[in-house]
Amino acid sequence: MATKKNIPVVEWEYAPSLEGTSHIQLKKQYDLFIDGKWVKPSSGKYFQTINPANEEVLSEVAYGNEKDVDLAVKAARKAYTEVWSVMPAAERAKYIYRIARLMQERARELAVIETLDAGKTIRESRDIDVPLACNHFFYYAGWADKLEYAFPNRKVESIGVAGQIIPWNFPLLMAAWKIAPALAAGNTVVLKPAETTPLTALKLAEIIEASGLPAGVVNIVTGFGDTGAAIVNHTDVDKIAFTGSTNVGKMIQKAVAGTGKKLTLELGGKSANIIFDDAPIDQAVEGIINGIFFNQGHVCCAGSRLFVQENVADKVIAKLKDRLNSLYLGNPLDKNTDIGAINSKEQLETINKYIKIGKQEGAEMYQPSCSIPKKGFYCPPTLFTNVAQSNVIAQEEIFGPVLTIQTFRTVDEVIQKANNTPFGLAAGVWTDKGSRIFNLTTKLRAGVIWANTYNKFDPTSPFGGYKESGFGREGGLHGLSSYVKLV
Amino acid sequence: MERLEVLKTYKIYIGGQFPRTESGRYYMPVNKAGKALGNICLSSRKDVRNAVSAARKAFGGWSERTAFNRGQILYRIAEMLEGRRSQFIEELILQGSTKKAAEEEVNLAIDRIVYYAGWCDKYQAIVSSVNPVASSHFNFSVAEPMGVVGVVAPENSSLIGLVSLVLPAICGGNTVVVLAAEHLPLCAVTFAEVVNSSDVPGGVINILTGSNKEMNPTLSTHMDVNALVYGGNDSAALKELQENAVLNVKRVFAYSNNWAKADAQGLHFVSDLQEIKTTWHPIENIGGATSSY
Amino acid sequence: MKKNQDKKNRFQLEYLNSPAVDKVGVEERVARFQTRSIKDASKMQGLKMALNMIDLTTLEGKDTHGKVKQMCYKAQHLHDVLPGLPSVAAVCVYPSMVKIAKKEVAGSGVNVASVSTAFPSGQAPLEVKITDTKFAVDEGADEIDMVISRGKFLSGEYNYVFDEIAMIKEACGKARLKVILETGELATLDNVRKASDLAIYAGADFIKTSTGKIQPAATMQVTYTMLMAIKDYYDKTGIMIGMKPAGGISTSKLALHNLVMVKEVLGSAWLTNEWFRFGASSLANDVLMQIMKAETGVYQSSDYFSID
C-alpha cells in the first residue's frame, strides 16, 4: 500500500491566455445590407450591441423597420427572378463554395467577434461554431446541382424569397444553417439576426459582398422583434424559417396561417439525458457536462433533464459535483475558459428567476465555488437534485446552465418520464448495451438521439424536433426539403 | 308481395366499435335528386375527443408493428373492400355518381389501397439515410410516424378522397381520426365496416360523420393530435385549422389533388406524415486494423 | 496470503464493476486538455515540474556501465548553464545496472528504479520474476518497475495476474512498486481500465502505461483512463496511487498537457514526483530548450544540450 507522506501541495494555476483582438475589424456603426449595398435604416435609428462579458459597447447597428424589410424583400425578389433562379445550378454551387472558403480564411476574426458579441467561450467559437458554419456552406454548396437526386420521382423547384429569423445562441452558425440550404436550392434570402448578436451576420454580409454574390441574393436586416414580424408578415415572402423560442414560434405559425407561406420552425426543448448503470460512467459524466453547460446552456437541445438510474445515482452525482469544480468560468476570450458569459442581462434574469423557483420548490441546489467576474453577466454551473417531474424547473426551458436531476428504476419508467413533455427536440442515452440503445432510440419522441454522446452537430446530420420543438429539419439531405417546392 | 328491405343504420367508428354518436343527434344529407341518404350521426365534440383517445391508445401498438405486418393488414383491407364492391357502388350511385363513375371509383380505391400496402415496408429505405459526419460517429436518420393524425376528408368525394388520405397515414404507422365528407358520408361508414373486418386493430382508424364546421375546431385544437391533413378546398376552413394548430405546433398538410386521377398517389403522402429522427453513436476505432487488410 | 485473498475478493467485486470506457468519449475529453493554453509563469512552473518528474531511462541490450554513468551524471546536472534547475526524479535501468547507478546518484536525491519480472515481455516463470525483483532490490533499487503477464490477462486469468503482482509487491520490501500494464498490448481502453483496477487492488504503488518497447505507448487516452481508475480508488479508499506514463512523451507540449490532465482529473496533490512520473529518455532536453527559450527569448538548437 502506498504510504502517504506529508508532501506540501503546490498549486499550479493557469495564467491568463487571452485570444488577441487586434486583428479583428469592427466598424463603429453598421448599416443594413440590402441589394448588395450598405443602406442606412429609413428610421435613422441605430441600437448598441454590447459584449456581455464586460458590458462594453462593441458597435452600433441599424434598426430596420417595415420599410427597410420591404426594400430587402423587393431586392430579394428581383435577384430571385432575374438572376439566382435562372442561373445554372453549378454556378450557384460555386458561389456558395466561394463563401465557405472566404469564411474559412477569416475564421479567426469571426470566432473572436462571435465571442465578443455573444459571450461564448473562444474555445467553442473557434473549435465548434465557426468551423461548423463554414462546413455547412461547404456541404450545401454541393447540393445545388444535384437536387433531382434528393427527391426521387419529383420535380424540384425553388420556392422564392425566404425570410429567416435566427436566435442569439449560435449567431453565425444559425445564419449558415439558414442561408446555405436556401441558396443551394435556388432561393434568395432576407435574414434577421438577433438583436443582441448581430455582428457576425454583418461580417458574413461583408464576406458575401466580397464573394461577388449577385446583389440582393442575401440581404441582412438587423433589428428587433418588430423587424422580424415585418419579414413574417410581408406578402411577397414565400417561406419563413425561424429558430427561437416556442412562444415566438407559435406567434409566427399563427401569423403564417392561411397565407400559403412555407414554414419551418426550430423551437425550444427540455431534453432528457438518460444514464443507465452500465454506462461508460466517466464519459457519461462528460456527456452530462457537455450536454448542459455547452454554450452556457444556451442550447435548444441542451440535456437539461438528467435521469440517472437509482443504483448509480450517488456515484454519478458525486462525480458531477467533482467535475463542476474543475470547470473554469470567466472571460470568454481566455482560451482556458470553459463557461463564458450569459448572453444578456435579460437572459441572466430569466435564469436566476428559475433558480429561485427551483429552491422554492424544494429542490436541492449545488453550485461549485467559483469566482464570478464583477462586470458582465455570469451564472455558475448549477445542479438541482431532489427534483420531481412536476417541478417547474423540470418542465420549462431555462436556456441556461441549470441541470435538474431525477432518478429512475426501470427502462419503461424512464421512457415515460423522458417523453412526458410537450417538447421533443433531443435526448441522450448512455448504456453499454446495444439492444437497449435501439429500444430507447425507437421509443423516445425526439428528433435527435445521442447515444453515448451528446451535443454533436454536423452539416450532414438532420436536426429538428418533434411536437412543440418545431417542424422541419436542418442539415443533411432532409434539410433540403425545407427549401424546395416539389411538383 | 315484394320483400321489405332492411335499411342500414349508419354509425360512427371509434376504437374498433360502432357506437351512435354520444350526443344522440343525427342529420339527413340528401342527394341531388332530393332523396335522403339516411339518418347520419351528427358527431359531437365528445365523439371527437373519444376518437382521439382511441387513436392515441392504438398508436403505440400500430407504430411498433413490423412493416411487413402493416403491409399485410393494408392488403387485407383491399381484399375486404373488393368483396363489398357492389355496396360501395350502390352508395356512390345513391350519392349522385353515374354507374360507370362509381365502378371506376371503387376500382381505383381498391387499387390505391394495394398501392399503399406495398409501400409499408419500402418507404423507410428510401427516406432514411446514413449521414457521413466528420467525426468518429455512426449517424443515421430514420422516418417515424408523427402520431395521431386528424384527417379532414375532401368534401367532394365519398370514397376515393378518404382512402387517398387515410391509407398513406396508416401505412406509415400513424393512427387517424377522420372527419368524413359531410354531405357524402355513406362510403365512409361502410369503409369503416370494411376496416373493422380486416385485421386493422381498433383505434388505428376512427371515422366520424357530421358537421365539419362543428368538429374541425375540436380536432384542430386537440392537444393530443400531432398532425392534420386537410383535403378540402375551403381556404377559410384551412386557415382556421392552421391557426388552431398553433396551440401544440401541429403539422398541417393541405392537399388539393384530384383524387380520381390514377396518379394522385405517391411516396410523399406517406413521408409528409413522418418525423425524421437522427441517432448518433460513437465508433470505437482501435489500433491500425482497417477494412482494407 | 489471507491479506491477498481479501484484497482479491475486493478486486473481484470491483472488477465486476470496472466501468465500461467509451474510446470516442475519452478522445473528446483528452482533446479538451490539449486545448488548454499554458503560458508565462504557469508554463515555467509546469516545465520545471516536468523535469523533476522524469525517470531518465536507458533500457537497452547494449547498456554498459559507461552509458549508465553518463546518464546518472545528466540526471543530476540537467543543464548547468541554467542555475536553479531541479534534478530528475529517478534513473531507470535494468537490474544488472542498479548497483552502478546507485553508486553514481548516491546522495543526490535521485532514486534508482529497476525494471524487473523478465522485462519487457514478462514471459518467465513466477520464481524467476521474484528472483529478478529480489536481486534488483538487494542491489539497492528504490523502485521496481514490473510488467504484468499480458498473455495471462488477455486469456482471462485475472487471478494469476493478481497473485503475481501481490507476490512481487512482497518481494519489493521497502521499494515502491510500479506496475507496467503494457497498454499497447491490451488494445482496448476497457482492458486498460480493468488492468488498472487489478493492479491497484493487487498492491501497486504506481501504475505505469508501457515498457517503451511497444507502440502505441503512453497516449493521453490511455493515461486518462488510468488516472480515472486512480481517482475512483482514491475517492473510495482515500489511498493515493501514483501514475507513470512511459514511452512516446518526448515534447514539452505533450508533457504539459499530461500535467494539465493530472491536475484536472486528480488535483494538484498529484503534481509531485512522489505521485507522478514521466518515463522518458528524450523529454528532458526538449523541456530544457523550452526553459532556455523562455529565459533568453530566442529559439534553441539541440547542439547546445547534452544528450547523455
Side-chain angles (χ1 to χ4, degrees):
Chain A
M1 190 181 294
T3 46
K4 191 170 178 180
K5 299 177 189 169
N6 284 328
I7 301 161
V9 174
V10 181
E11 286 301 329
W12 184 40
E13 298 299 345
Y14 305 146
S17 178
L18 297 182
E19 177 69 48
T21 54
S22 55
H23 65 289
I24 66 161
Q25 294 181 24
L26 268 186
K27 290 190 277 189
K28 285 209 173 108
Q29 193 180 72
Y30 282 93
D31 292 322
L32 307 167
F33 184 67
I34 296 174
D35 205 11
K37 295 180 286 286
W38 294 92
V39 182
K40 297 224 167 295
S42 60
S43 65
K45 281 191 209 159
Y46 292 82
F47 61 95
Q48 292 180 333
T49 182
I50 64 160
N51 178 352
N54 57 19
E55 301 173 55
E56 282 168 17
V57 175
L58 295 168
S59 182
E60 283 200 326
V61 175
Y63 189 164
N65 63 14
E66 219 167 298
K67 256 183 171 167
D68 303 310
V69 166
D70 185 52
L71 264 185
V73 173
K74 283 198 170 101
R77 173 63 59 193
K78 187 159 177 281
Y80 175 73
T81 44
E82 293 178 9
V83 189
W84 199 243
S85 67
V86 292
M87 180 186 290
E91 292 299 298
R92 228 160 57 211
K94 280 155 63 183
Y95 276 111
I96 305 169
Y97 277 125
R98 198 188 265 194
I99 294 169
R101 271 287 188 258
L102 289 171
M103 285 172 75
Q104 286 175 329
E105 287 167 14
R106 293 174 65 172
R108 185 171 170 206
E109 183 188 21
L110 290 169
V112 171
I113 294 175
E114 196 75 308
T115 287
L116 289 172
D117 205 18
K120 65 172 63 206
T121 65
I122 187 69
R123 184 192 69 81
E124 288 177 11
S125 317
R126 179 196 64 203
D127 296 347
I128 299 169
D129 292 57
V130 173
L132 273 179
C134 300
N135 296 354
H136 217 80
F137 276 98
F138 221 89
Y139 173 76
Y140 275 109
W143 267 124
D145 56 358
K146 303 169 189 70
L147 296 173
E148 63 270 30
Y149 294 95
F151 303 98
N153 217 26
R154 312 293 305 275
K155 190 165 168 284
V156 187
E157 289 174 3
S158 54
I159 303 174
V161 176
Q164 307 180 317
I165 298 162
I166 58 171
W168 44 260
N169 57 344
F170 296 94
L172 182 68
L173 183 58
M174 289 301 108
W177 278 27
K178 294 283 178 288
I179 295 173
L183 296 192
N187 307 285
T188 56
V189 163
V190 176
L191 177 126
K192 187 197 91 72
E195 59 267 25
T196 60
T197 56
L199 292 179
T200 44
L202 293 163
K203 294 305 282 188
L204 180 59
E206 289 178 3
I207 287 169
I208 284 170
E209 196 180 10
S211 75
L213 188 77
V217 173
V218 173
N219 305 275
I220 310 277
V221 182
T222 46
F224 287 77
D226 55 336
T227 317
I231 295 175
V232 170
N233 294 323
H234 198 290
T235 50
D236 204 29
V237 169
D238 305 296
K239 150 92 194 179
I240 300 291
F242 171 76
T243 297
S245 71
T246 292
N247 279 344
V248 176
K250 286 179 174 179
M251 283 159 61
I252 291 174
Q253 191 182 6
K254 190 148 201 169
V256 166
T259 63
K261 284 175 192 165
K262 233 182 130 149
L263 176 66
T264 43
L265 298 172
E266 205 272 87
L267 310 176
K270 191 77 180 174
S271 299
N273 202 358
I274 302 167
I275 317 293
F276 286 97
D277 59 1
D278 67 338
I281 217 82
D282 293 311
Q283 288 71 57
V285 168
E286 291 306 317
I288 298 166
I289 297 279
N290 186 44
I292 184 63
F293 302 125
F294 173 53
N295 199 30
Q296 293 69 248
H298 302 328
V299 184
C300 46
C301 51
S304 51
R305 289 187 297 149
L306 178 65
F307 291 96
V308 191
Q309 197 158 14
E310 217 160 278
N311 57 338
V312 289
D314 289 347
K315 191 166 162 188
V316 168
I317 291 166
K319 277 174 177 279
L320 261 180
K321 287 179 177 172
D322 197 67
R323 182 72 177 89
L324 285 195
N325 284 290
S326 63
L327 292 171
Y328 289 83
L329 179 146
N331 187 347
L333 268 185
D334 193 314
K335 293 171 200 161
N336 293 324
T337 296
D338 297 311
I339 298 188
I342 299 300
N343 187 268
S344 66
K345 192 163 175 247
E346 292 70 32
Q347 188 56 29
L348 181 59
E349 282 163 4
T350 304
I351 295 166
N352 286 334
K353 179 192 86 184
Y354 278 111
I355 290 177
K356 208 173 140 196
I357 291 174
K359 287 194 261 185
Q360 283 165 356
E361 287 179 319
E364 227 166 275
M365 188 184 76
Y366 177 83
Q367 291 176 332
S369 53
C370 56
S371 62
I372 306 276
K374 287 207 177 66
K375 285 209 105 182
F377 316 124
Y378 292 90
C379 177
T382 305
L383 306 180
F384 276 107
T385 51
N386 231 344
V387 175
Q389 188 82 351
S390 49
N391 287 164
V392 169
I393 52 166
Q395 292 182 341
E396 294 181 14
E397 184 175 40
I398 299 175
F399 224 62
V402 182
L403 179 69
T404 63
I405 305 176
Q406 301 175 63
T407 59
F408 70 93
R409 294 151 300 170
T410 65
V411 174
D412 283 350
E413 179 189 1
V414 78
I415 291 172
Q416 280 175 8
K417 282 184 171 173
N419 284 339
N420 177 215
T421 164
F423 297 112
L425 193 46
V429 182
W430 298 80
T431 168
D432 213 31
K433 192 168 182 189
S435 57
R436 187 181 294 150
I437 287 174
F438 282 106
N439 180 31
L440 266 95
T441 189
T442 308
K443 297 212 173 113
L444 293 170
R445 303 288 293 161
V448 182
I449 309 290
W450 284 293
N452 292 325
T453 186
Y454 207 96
N455 269 346
K456 291 283 174 299
F457 308 93
D458 194 276
T460 68
S461 174
F463 182 91
Y466 284 35
K467 302 197 278 186
E468 292 202 19
S469 291
F471 47 73
R473 293 292 176 269
E474 295 185 283
L477 168 72
H478 299 89
L480 277 176
S481 52
S482 306
Y483 289 98
V484 293
K485 196 157 66 185
L486 301 173
V487 278
Chain B
M1 200 171 102
E2 214 176 308
R3 178 179 171 275
L4 182 67
E5 188 188 1
V6 179
L7 289 176
K8 172 171 173 176
T9 310
Y10 288 93
K11 297 190 185 175
I12 55 179
Y13 184 51
I14 299 175
Q17 308 287 321
F18 287 94
R20 289 205 175 85
T21 165
E22 64 79 37
S23 66
R25 303 175 306 169
Y26 69 99
Y27 70 114
M28 209 184 292
V30 292
N31 66 11
K32 277 179 201 150
K35 181 173 165 24
L37 299 178
N39 294 322
I40 308 297
C41 289
L42 186 63
S43 303
S44 67
R45 294 159 50 94
K46 278 190 183 165
D47 293 319
V48 174
R49 179 201 65 188
N50 293 343
V52 172
S53 306
R56 173 58 62 196
K57 209 170 150 204
F59 175 65
W62 182 243
S63 61
E64 283 168 25
R65 294 258 174 156
T66 64
F68 172 73
N69 183 244
R70 281 208 307 271
Q72 291 216 313
I73 292 173
L74 262 63
Y75 186 77
R76 182 75 180 152
I77 302 177
E79 287 180 343
M80 299 310 288
L81 209 159
E82 182 82 52
R84 291 175 70 170
R85 14 180 328 119
S86 57
Q87 186 181 357
F88 281 97
I89 290 168
E90 277 172 28
E91 285 172 353
L92 286 169
I93 292 169
L94 179 60
Q95 290 175 121
S97 285
T98 63
K99 183 156 187 289
K100 181 165 176 285
E103 279 172 354
E104 277 173 10
E105 182 166 348
V106 174
N107 288 346
L108 187 58
I110 295 166
D111 293 352
R112 191 153 287 166
I113 296 169
V114 172
Y115 174 80
Y116 282 114
W119 266 125
C120 285
D121 53 5
K122 295 167 192 69
Y123 70 87
Q124 183 69 267
I126 297 174
V127 300
S128 62
S129 63
V130 171
N131 312 306
V133 295
S135 58
S136 190
H137 293 91
F138 188 72
N139 176 300
F140 60 97
S141 298
V142 297
E144 282 191 350
M146 284 179 170
V148 174
V149 177
V151 176
V152 181
E155 236 337 281
N156 54 9
S157 161
S158 185
L159 178 63
I160 189 66
L162 180 138
V163 163
S164 300
L165 296 184
V166 168
L167 266 290
I170 63 166
C171 164
N174 298 286
T175 57
V176 293
V177 173
V178 188
L179 308 187
E182 185 171 342
H183 302 289
L184 305 171
L186 301 189
C187 295
V189 179
T190 308
F191 181 70
E193 291 160 12
V194 165
V195 167
N196 194 50
S197 61
S198 56
D199 303 337
V200 177
V204 171
I205 299 176
N206 304 275
I207 300 178
L208 304 177
T209 53
S211 156
N212 279 10
K213 206 171 170 189
E214 188 185 347
M215 292 187 290
N216 279 4
T218 312
L219 186 64
S220 57
T221 56
H222 198 300
M223 298 299 276
D224 212 19
V225 172
N226 300 96
L228 295 170
V229 173
Y230 182 66
N233 50 14
D234 178 348
S235 58
L238 175 60
K239 185 174 186 224
E240 187 199 4
L241 289 179
Q242 287 174 327
E243 284 181 344
N244 289 341
V246 169
L247 271 181
N248 66 336
V249 195
K250 283 181 194 70
R251 293 85 170 111
V252 183
F253 303 90
Y255 303 117
S256 53
N257 300 57
N258 177 2
W259 302 110
K261 285 178 75 176
D263 63 353
Q265 58 190 22
L267 171 63
H268 60 287
F269 293 109
V270 179
S271 61
D272 279 358
L273 292 171
Q274 299 288 307
E275 296 285 357
I276 295 299
K277 172 184 279 180
T278 300
T279 301
W280 295 66
H281 196 278
I283 300 172
E284 186 181 62
N285 187 9
I286 299 287
T290 67
S291 52
S292 59
Y293 50 79
Chain C
M1 260 351 266
K2 181 172 180 308
K3 203 168 136 205
N4 279 345
Q5 194 54 49
D6 287 350
K7 280 180 168 178
K8 199 192 292 175
N9 291 343
R10 258 192 295 149
F11 161 67
Q12 280 171 340
L13 278 175
E14 193 59 26
Y15 147 67
L16 293 171
N17 280 323
S18 269
V21 182
D22 181 69
K23 184 161 182 273
V24 176
V26 170
E27 282 164 357
E28 282 167 15
R29 180 75 184 106
V30 163
R32 289 290 295 273
F33 297 124
Q34 288 170 324
T35 64
R36 291 288 186 220
S37 170
I38 308 301
K39 295 190 123 169
D40 310 326
S42 313
K43 186 171 180 184
M44 187 55 89
Q45 188 187 348
L47 290 172
K48 287 186 176 169
M49 238 164 21
L51 276 185
N52 191 227
M53 289 168 170
I54 290 174
D55 282 3
L56 207 55
T57 302
T58 184
L59 293 168
E60 293 178 353
K62 62 179 192 284
D63 282 349
T64 59
H65 281 201
K67 162 73 189 170
V68 171
K69 275 185 186 173
Q70 289 162 18
M71 187 179 77
C72 288
Y73 186 84
K74 170 87 174 180
Q76 303 159 73
H77 304 272
L78 281 169
H79 198 57
D80 287 343
V81 182
L82 267 177
L85 288 182
S87 60
V88 299
V91 291
C92 183
V93 295
Y94 270 115
S96 55
M97 298 291 157
V98 169
K99 195 173 227 168
I100 180 78
K102 192 69 190 169
K103 184 173 158 233
E104 292 300 315
V105 300
S108 68
V110 174
N111 281 350
V112 174
S114 172
V115 297
S116 85
T117 66
F119 180 94
S121 75
Q123 295 285 17
L126 181 55
E127 305 82 71
V128 173
K129 293 183 183 180
I130 291 172
T131 310
D132 194 18
T133 306
K134 282 194 169 143
F135 172 80
V137 173
D138 290 346
E139 294 283 283
D142 304 294
E143 302 167 4
I144 295 295
D145 289 21
M146 73 169 285
V147 291
I148 66 164
S149 297
R150 285 88 73 190
K152 299 282 186 193
F153 181 89
L154 290 172
S155 55
E157 295 181 53
Y158 303 124
N159 285 344
Y160 181 95
V161 180
F162 187 100
D163 289 340
E164 192 174 69
I165 296 170
M167 289 171 92
I168 299 297
K169 171 69 180 167
E170 264 181 39
C172 280
K174 281 186 181 157
R176 292 180 86 195
L177 175 64
K178 306 193 195 104
V179 177
I180 301 172
L181 308 181
E182 194 64 310
T183 54
E185 290 187 342
L186 300 184
T188 68
L189 293 181
D190 294 296
N191 276 347
V192 170
R193 173 66 199 230
K194 205 182 291 176
S196 301
D197 287 339
L198 190 155
I200 290 170
Y201 278 87
D205 299 305
F206 259 79
I207 49 176
K208 176 176 169 184
T209 59
S210 324
T211 61
K213 306 295 183 194
I214 295 281
Q215 288 301 325
T219 63
M220 284 186 69
Q221 290 88 331
V222 158
T223 304
Y224 174 75
T225 305
M226 293 169 72
L227 291 175
M228 291 311 294
I230 293 172
K231 178 172 171 51
D232 285 344
Y233 186 71
Y234 178 75
D235 286 345
K236 187 166 286 186
T237 64
I239 298 168
M240 292 171 85
I241 303 291
M243 174 70 207
K244 179 177 173 184
I249 301 171
S250 55
T251 67
S252 305
K253 195 172 181 182
L254 197 46
L256 287 174
H257 285 150
N258 269 274
L259 294 181
V260 161
M261 183 156 71
V262 172
K263 168 185 157 62
E264 294 195 19
V265 173
L266 295 176
S268 294
W270 263 263
L271 288 176
T272 140
N273 63 20
E274 187 71 15
W275 301 114
F276 191 76
R277 298 283 179 85
F278 290 109
S281 45
S282 56
L283 173 62
N285 274 2
D286 194 70
V287 174
L288 290 168
M289 283 165 74
Q290 288 293 321
I291 293 175
M292 271 304 264
K293 152 75 177 64
E295 297 278 339
T296 62
V298 295
Y299 291 105
Q300 301 295 304
S301 156
S302 60
D303 287 354
Y304 297 81
F305 296 83
S306 61
I307 53 167
D308 291 306

